[in-house]
Amino acid sequence: MSTIKKAYIAGGCFWGMEDLFRVRPGIVDTEVGYIGGENEFPTYRNHPGHAEGIELTYNPDETSFKQILDYFFRIHNPTTIDQQGNDRGSSYRSAIFIQNEEEKEIAEAVIKIVDDSNKWEGTIVTTLEPFTVFWPAEPEHQDYLVRIPNGYTCHFERFKESFV
């Protein structure tokens, strides 16, 4: 068995992203939190510059970073700057938090594939940001849609077929 890996992405409200990714093949664990911002120990009420992100723990024998990004681009709108559904602001930006050069190359390639597909109206605006620290969100935000099945989400599978 390969070593377990982690990926860090943001695509709007973290509840919906977590709920869809939790059941994907190869995903071992999900955690919602804050990433890419200005303060240490951010909270839901105080996370300037942080995106509502998700930490995905995955088994590379069962899924890949490329497959994770493919699904990421199918469940949120990567063409809106700082917005998903009714949620607006930099907390809701589309971002991939890069941990190494290999992830950067894969992310750039997947973005080009998605952009070239013309399935989305508009250009992909997903940012590639360096991974720094992932701060887990408060317990009430973890597994939110499992605990509150009819809770708010703006995420859903917009495309069934893979981009890659």
Side-chain angles (χ1 to χ4, degrees):
M1 179 176 179
S2 294
T3 304
I4 297 299
K5 292 186 173 185
K6 293 185 185 266
Y8 299 89
I9 55 177
C13 176
F14 44 31
W15 299 333
M17 300 264 316
E18 179 185 42
D19 199 53
L20 291 170
F21 267 107
R22 83 171 61 259
V23 297
R24 299 294 298 167
I27 300 298
V28 176
D29 192 31
T30 60
E31 186 160 26
V32 299
Y34 313 102
I35 188 167
E38 302 163 17
N39 64 331
E40 291 188 348
F41 308 105
T43 65
Y44 192 72
R45 300 232 183 271
N46 182 28
H47 59 273
H50 287 282
E52 285 194 12
I54 182 169
E55 176 185 75
L56 299 170
T57 303
Y58 68 99
N59 180 341
D61 288 338
E62 297 176 27
T63 193
S64 67
F65 186 65
K66 185 176 186 178
Q67 290 169 311
I68 287 169
L69 295 185
D70 174 68
Y71 192 66
F72 170 67
F73 284 111
R74 291 164 41 207
I75 64 170
H76 85 292
N77 185 341
T79 68
T80 54
I81 296 173
D82 296 345
Q83 178 184 354
Q84 287 298 308
N86 295 326
D87 297 326
R88 295 176 188 266
S90 66
S91 294
Y92 307 107
R93 68 187 179 270
S94 175
I96 302 166
F97 295 89
I98 302 299
Q99 300 176 84
N100 55 50
E101 191 61 32
E102 179 185 15
E103 284 188 357
K104 181 180 179 194
E105 290 172 9
I106 292 168
E108 288 172 341
V110 172
I111 287 171
K112 181 169 179 10
I113 290 167
V114 173
D115 230 357
D116 290 349
S117 77
N118 293 316
K119 288 184 179 180
W120 286 105
E121 288 185 26
T123 303
I124 304 304
V125 297
T126 303
T127 58
L128 301 183
E129 302 179 31
F131 174 80
T132 53
V133 177
F134 178 81
W135 302 94
E138 300 85 339
E140 63 267 23
H141 297 292
Q142 306 299 333
D143 305 313
Y144 179 81
L145 290 172
V146 170
R147 291 181 295 103
I148 303 170
N150 295 320
Y152 173 78
T153 183
C154 60
H155 294 92
F156 58 94
E157 282 189 12
R158 286 148 168 95
F159 307 105
K160 291 284 184 195
E161 66 281 354
S162 172
F163 285 106
V164 297

